Amino acid sequence: MTTLETPRAAEPAAPPPLMRDRQFRRFITAAAAGKLGTQIGYVAIPLLAVTTLHADAGQVGLLATLSTLSFLLIGLPAGAWVDRVRRRKVMIAADLARGLLLASVPATWLTGHLGIGQLYAVVLLTGVATVFADVGQQSFLPALVGREQLPAANATLVGMDALNQIAGRSAGGFLVQLISAPAAILVNACGYLWSAAWLTAVRKPEPAPVRKPGQNLAKEIREGLAFVAGRPVLRAIALASACNNLSIQVSVTMLPVLFVHDLGLSEGVLGLYLAVGGLGVLLGSRAAKRIGPRLGQGRTLWIVGLVVAPFGFLVPLASSGWGLWPAVLGWLLTTFRVGVNNVIQVSFRQRCTPDVLLGRMNATMRFVLTGALAIGSALAGAIGEFDGARAALWVGAIGLALVWIPIYLSPLRTMRDWPEGEAQ
């Protein structure tokens, strides 16, 4: 007697690769254009202060502080505002504002009236626009690709960012040598304007913003803060990332002073050294897709952090000649860990946050993380002013050696898979 087999239910089709999606390609092109300009400016702006305006260590530290201070000033309300509007429009407006602000620097330089005061103002206002750009981008991404593809999308973004660090930072140093720092900053401005143009071509429909009756700005901000504070996974990520950002910022703020002023190295060498950091982030973002599933997503964060921790102490030992190579290795491995963390941590954040809270969650995180950058810049300037650039680098190295501890002390220590909804 012939038996009939029960037909198997069709398995859900795997989502198509992201780069086949025209809207995602436009989005990633916009992000690449903006990030390339950002990385050029990352090198060119402090070099402009040091070489053209003859800024000292304290002024360089203040400049770096102002570039991130806006997240402390408006970061939390920005998240509530972003949750009220279409996020793509926010990103376009932010890119246009950044492009025009930075274009004012070379324009004023050509007239001979550029001063450190204007540079402070431009950096501060550009930071305000960056608040909205960053919160908008991380909040728009789930609507663009869907939650299941967030790890792949974040890996693509982090990898693209790393490639821009390699290209932009090395190019930034050489552009300053070849065509002057103000001209390099003009390239930065053009990158933002090009990004705005590509974002206008993205046609992915966004869900309409939803507001609860009786809500106001203060309530919405409190809701975002409570959501992050009330979840152990998000608390641990915030603390670890804040420690990382503060320590990294202490280091990178003083690297131009150490390389150009103390060691007498060229701007091009500084650009190449910083570009090595981009290579480390790229390798880390690539490795995250392989290491995470094998070790477990949460476990990867603290295991990689613990293994890499000792190598950060090579960075303060940087010297001219062959003595620079150990510091290059230390910087490469330190930023490798950053690349791994960026992919996994951002995916954790997005996967366990409902759509209506994405803007406020991201803004709360950016408030904490970029606030740590501001504190790190101020700390670097203070230490550099009173005890030298190398002392500041030692402080940064100690902080970087400790960033895995909050992850180890949280539920992430044993987590293998992504959390869903509000479970964590």
Side-chain angles (χ1 to χ4, degrees):
M1 179 176 177
T2 304
T3 58
L4 298 177
E5 294 185 1
T6 303
R8 296 180 181 179
E11 296 184 1
L18 284 172
M19 295 310 293
R20 293 184 185 175
D21 185 334
R22 179 180 299 177
Q23 305 308 320
F24 183 75
R25 290 202 306 270
R26 292 171 176 173
F27 173 81
I28 203 72
T29 301
K35 291 293 186 180
L36 179 62
T38 297
Q39 298 304 328
I40 291 172
Y42 185 88
V43 178
I45 290 174
L47 285 177
L48 172 68
V50 172
T51 61
T52 302
L53 302 178
H54 309 292
D56 58 27
Q59 290 173 313
V60 173
L62 177 58
L63 190 67
T65 301
L66 290 172
S67 69
T68 54
L69 185 62
S70 53
F71 277 91
L72 292 177
L73 298 177
I74 66 163
L76 294 177
W81 290 327
V82 166
D83 277 340
R84 296 178 177 184
V85 297
R86 307 279 185 180
R87 286 136 184 183
R88 185 177 66 93
K89 293 181 179 179
V90 171
M91 293 186 288
I92 294 171
D95 279 342
L96 291 173
R98 291 189 289 184
L100 294 174
L101 282 165
L102 286 168
S104 73
V105 173
T108 308
W109 174 72
L110 286 173
T111 67
H113 294 94
L114 179 64
I116 192 69
Q118 180 188 343
L119 198 58
Y120 287 155
V122 167
V123 165
L124 177 62
L125 294 174
T126 301
V128 171
T130 298
V131 172
F132 290 95
D134 285 1
V135 173
Q137 183 186 80
Q138 291 185 351
S139 303
F140 177 67
L141 191 61
L144 180 67
V145 303
R147 289 179 176 268
E148 290 302 316
Q149 297 209 79
L150 280 173
N154 283 316
T156 302
L157 279 171
V158 173
M160 176 273 299
D161 193 14
L163 286 172
N164 278 320
Q165 287 185 37
I166 298 168
R169 294 183 183 183
S170 56
F174 286 111
L175 282 172
V176 171
Q177 280 188 287
L178 295 174
I179 61 175
S180 79
I185 292 172
L186 180 60
V187 177
N188 183 3
C190 291
Y192 287 132
L193 298 177
W194 189 237
S195 173
W198 275 101
L199 284 171
T200 60
V202 176
R203 293 290 182 263
K204 183 76 173 184
E206 277 189 81
V210 177
R211 292 191 65 192
K212 296 178 182 178
Q215 288 284 79
N216 57 41
L217 187 63
K219 284 184 178 180
E220 290 171 353
I221 291 172
R222 287 196 299 270
E223 194 174 13
L225 286 168
F227 181 79
V228 173
R231 280 144 185 86
V233 165
L234 295 181
R235 284 202 308 269
I237 289 173
L239 183 57
S241 300
C243 180
N244 176 80
N245 282 13
L246 186 149
S247 304
I248 284 281
Q249 191 70 359
V250 167
S251 299
V252 299
T253 300
M254 285 297 106
L255 283 173
V257 178
L258 179 70
F259 274 54
V260 178
H261 184 269
D262 295 352
L263 299 180
L265 300 172
S266 70
E267 293 90 343
V269 171
L270 173 64
L272 287 173
Y273 183 87
L274 293 174
V276 168
L279 177 61
V281 174
L282 175 63
L283 295 175
S285 68
R286 294 278 195 173
K289 294 187 290 186
R290 296 179 178 273
I291 300 175
R294 291 182 180 181
L295 294 181
Q297 304 296 346
R299 294 173 63 197
T300 296
L301 295 174
W302 70 265
I303 291 173
V304 173
L306 178 60
V307 171
V308 169
F311 293 95
F313 291 103
L314 296 174
V315 175
L317 299 175
S319 61
S320 57
W322 288 102
L324 186 60
W325 289 105
V328 170
L329 174 64
W331 192 241
L332 177 69
L333 293 175
T334 295
T335 52
F336 173 87
R337 176 190 56 75
V338 172
V340 172
N341 287 5
N342 283 353
V343 172
I344 295 177
Q345 288 180 350
V346 173
S347 297
F348 266 119
R349 286 160 44 183
Q350 292 167 328
R351 289 289 291 267
C352 68
T353 303
D355 289 342
V356 295
L357 279 166
L358 276 170
R360 279 164 285 174
M361 179 278 291
N362 284 319
T364 300
M365 285 290 185
R366 296 297 292 176
F367 174 81
V368 173
L369 306 190
T370 314
L373 292 178
I375 295 170
S377 301
L379 183 62
I383 297 172
E385 186 73 18
F386 292 104
D387 204 15
R390 203 177 292 276
L393 290 172
W394 279 111
V395 172
I398 293 170
L400 288 170
L402 302 176
V403 297
W404 59 274
I405 295 177
I407 301 295
Y408 184 81
L409 297 177
S410 77
L412 285 163
R413 181 177 70 249
T414 57
M415 288 181 66
R416 298 194 60 86
D417 298 317
W418 308 107
E420 295 291 346
E422 301 185 43
Q424 300 296 328

